[in-house]
Amino acid sequence: MPWYKKLHWQIIIGLVLGLIFGVIAAAQGWSGFTSDWIAPWGEIFLRLLLLIAVPLVLGSLITGVASLSDLKKLSRIGGKTIAIYMGTTVIALIIGLVLVNLLEPGAGVPEDMRQKLQETYADQAAAGLETAAQAAARGPLDPIVSMVPGNFFEAASSNRNMLQVVFFAIFAGIALLMIPREKARPLLDVFESLNDMIIRMVEIIMLFAPIGVFALMAGTITSIAGDDLGQIMELLRALGFYCIVVLLGLITHMTVTYGTMVRFLTPRSIGDFMRALAPAQLVAFSTSSSGATLPVTMERCEKELGVSEEVSSFVLPLGATINMDGTGLYQAVAAVFIAQTMGMDLDLGAQMTIVFTAVLASIGTAAVPGAGIIMLVIILESVGVPSAGIALILGVDRILDMCRTVTNVTGDATVAVVVAASEGQLLDKSLLPVSN
Ligand code: ASP
């Protein structure tokens, strides 16, 4: 097949053209045209992916858990999965903290720039602070309480409540395991056929991906820059070093941590792994949502990487909801950066608190755009840094959100391949279809 017919190249072309179009549109003052006529196509693509996220999580987790044959297997795979998820998140946080302490991006932000940023983004920051204050005002056990839905339909009515859907699905899967097989069969058949239908829907939606990604990129640039490209340049001058530290951390985590895991714990090569996952990473980059990317991640892991349905349908929906290494790393860097900019010193104890709260926060962060910065407020408060400081970094948040979402999705897929390999559930490479 010629290279340009491969899906990931088509998406890359869409992404690059979207970037170029967005920059030209900002320079020429076409922001009205872009947001009226181009951006809606990106919104449609995003909505189509989100549309199938809840049914996919529900169907795949219920069948995933119920197909594990017994509770022992469930606790083994579940325990392993959660332990690796937590472990990699802690490694990501440590990488972020080491880099931000060594490179000190906050030390070089001039005082006048700091004030300007805080004034410009004060209103947006206030909205985020309000949401975070509501979360922080609750009791210590609230994260556990809010995991349990009081009404299934309410839980399924918002992609932000995915953790509640995950809870219901695992609970239902366990109950199905515990009733006689012949009684469970009809319901399992329904969910299995639901899964097949959804995977086919993903394939259809992905035909539209290059255009969707083009429109999302053009729309994102317009929403950040409007008709004034100089504004982005000024922001990047002030916050460029901070962005570089976050990016350096994300790249280090993806290449060193995930690279080592794939290389030594699975039979796949790093090149094969990245090539197979590329379309999911590109969709993650352009949608900034690991929830919206989940259908694509599942399809790539099963069809291109050979992860068994049993493993992928359990590990990936769980990962998209609770495993966010990129978000955690970004939160650690951002918290210390804000403290540095404000001339505050965070001692070792405070940095350990960041690790602890960020692990919990990354579990509670919804897999939607911009969720990470809201949870950052809780981390800042835990170490006594004024949370209004998020105004400093809001201007570049969307750009970093796109990048951290790629890491989040890559982390989920890495763990899926590792768990599948450890369970003897990774298809032999020779049995995989020719990659597209
Ligand atoms: N956008 C991220 C995701 O969906 C979450 C965040 O860090 O805001 O994975």
Side-chain angles (χ1 to χ4, degrees), residues 5 9 26 28 45 52 63 137 210 212 248 253 306 327 357 379 414 431:
K5 285 208 168 152
W9 280 114
Q28 299 289 326
F45 176 60
I52 53 178
T63 46
L248 200 63
H253 188 54
T327 300
T357 8
I379 298 170
T414 305
L431 299 173

Side-chain angles (χ1 to χ4, degrees), residues 2 68 107 118 150 192 243 251 360 386 392 396 406:
L68 287 178
Q118 271 187 310
E192 269 161 21
C243 294
I251 292 171
L360 293 182
L392 288 173
V396 287
V406 173

Side-chain angles (χ1 to χ4, degrees), residues 282-344:
L282 292 165
V283 170
F285 184 78
S286 35
T287 59
S288 281
S289 165
S290 27
T293 313
L294 176 65
V296 189
T297 321
M298 287 188 74
E299 198 230 5
R300 301 309 288 183
C301 282
E302 286 172 20
K303 300 252 165 83
E304 305 290 326
L305 283 164
V307 176
S308 75
E309 222 180 298
E310 187 174 303
V311 168
S312 87
S313 58
F314 176 74
V315 175
L316 291 172
L318 191 68
T321 329
I322 69 164
N323 181 49
M324 298 205 181
D325 294 358
T327 300
L329 188 149
Y330 144 84
Q331 285 167 333
V333 175
V336 179
F337 170 78
I338 293 172
Q340 286 170 350
T341 313
M342 294 186 160
M344 295 170 71

Side-chain angles (χ1 to χ4, degrees), residues 162-420:
M162 205 65 101
L163 203 51
Q164 297 190 345
V165 178
V166 167
F167 177 88
F168 174 82
I170 294 180
F171 193 14
I174 292 176
L176 276 175
L177 260 182
M178 295 168 81
I179 58 179
R181 215 56 191 166
E182 70 281 2
K183 291 234 162 126
R185 200 63 258 167
L187 210 46
L188 278 176
D189 283 344
V190 170
F191 284 120
E192 269 161 21
S193 120
L194 178 74
N195 289 344
D196 289 346
M197 178 191 83
I198 287 174
I199 292 288
R200 184 39 61 93
M201 287 169 101
V202 178
E203 286 167 5
I204 299 170
I205 296 169
M206 287 307 281
L207 295 176
F208 178 57
I211 297 171
V213 166
F214 168 85
L216 278 170
M217 290 312 299
T220 304
I221 296 191
T222 301
S223 69
I224 303 176
D227 283 333
D228 180 8
L229 209 54
Q231 198 188 324
I232 291 195
M233 291 306 160
E234 194 179 340
L235 262 176
L236 285 181
R237 254 199 305 280
L239 297 172
F241 192 26
Y242 154 71
C243 294
I244 289 173
V245 175
V246 175
L247 290 181
L248 200 63
L250 296 176
I251 292 171
T252 308
H253 188 54
M254 289 212 286
T255 48
V256 179
T257 316
Y258 301 154
T260 312
M261 288 167 73
V262 171
R263 170 83 178 70
F264 292 104
L265 302 176
T266 80
R268 297 282 176 272
S269 73
I270 300 175
D272 282 349
F273 174 78
M274 288 297 177
R275 249 190 309 278
L277 200 64
Q281 291 172 320
L282 292 165
V283 170
F285 184 78
S286 35
T287 59
S288 281
S289 165
S290 27
T293 313
L294 176 65
V296 189
T297 321
M298 287 188 74
E299 198 230 5
R300 301 309 288 183
C301 282
E302 286 172 20
K303 300 252 165 83
E304 305 290 326
L305 283 164
V307 176
S308 75
E309 222 180 298
E310 187 174 303
V311 168
S312 87
S313 58
F314 176 74
V315 175
L316 291 172
L318 191 68
T321 329
I322 69 164
N323 181 49
M324 298 205 181
D325 294 358
T327 300
L329 188 149
Y330 144 84
Q331 285 167 333
V333 175
V336 179
F337 170 78
I338 293 172
Q340 286 170 350
T341 313
M342 294 186 160
M344 295 170 71
D345 216 15
L346 293 180
D347 61 12
L348 194 64
Q351 309 230 3
M352 302 276 274
T353 310
I354 293 181
V355 173
F356 181 71
T357 8
V359 169
L360 293 182
S362 71
I363 296 175
T365 304
V368 296
I373 199 161
I374 306 286
M375 293 310 245
L376 175 62
V377 173
I378 296 171
I379 298 170
L380 289 176
E381 299 209 327
S382 73
V383 286
V385 175
S387 42
I390 59 167
L392 288 173
I393 54 167
L394 260 170
V396 287
D397 193 61
R398 178 62 197 231
I399 303 171
L400 295 180
D401 194 1
M402 295 157 81
C403 303
R404 65 191 189 238
T405 308
V406 173
T407 308
N408 291 345
V409 166
T410 310
D412 299 340
T414 305
V415 177
V417 181
V418 167
V419 170

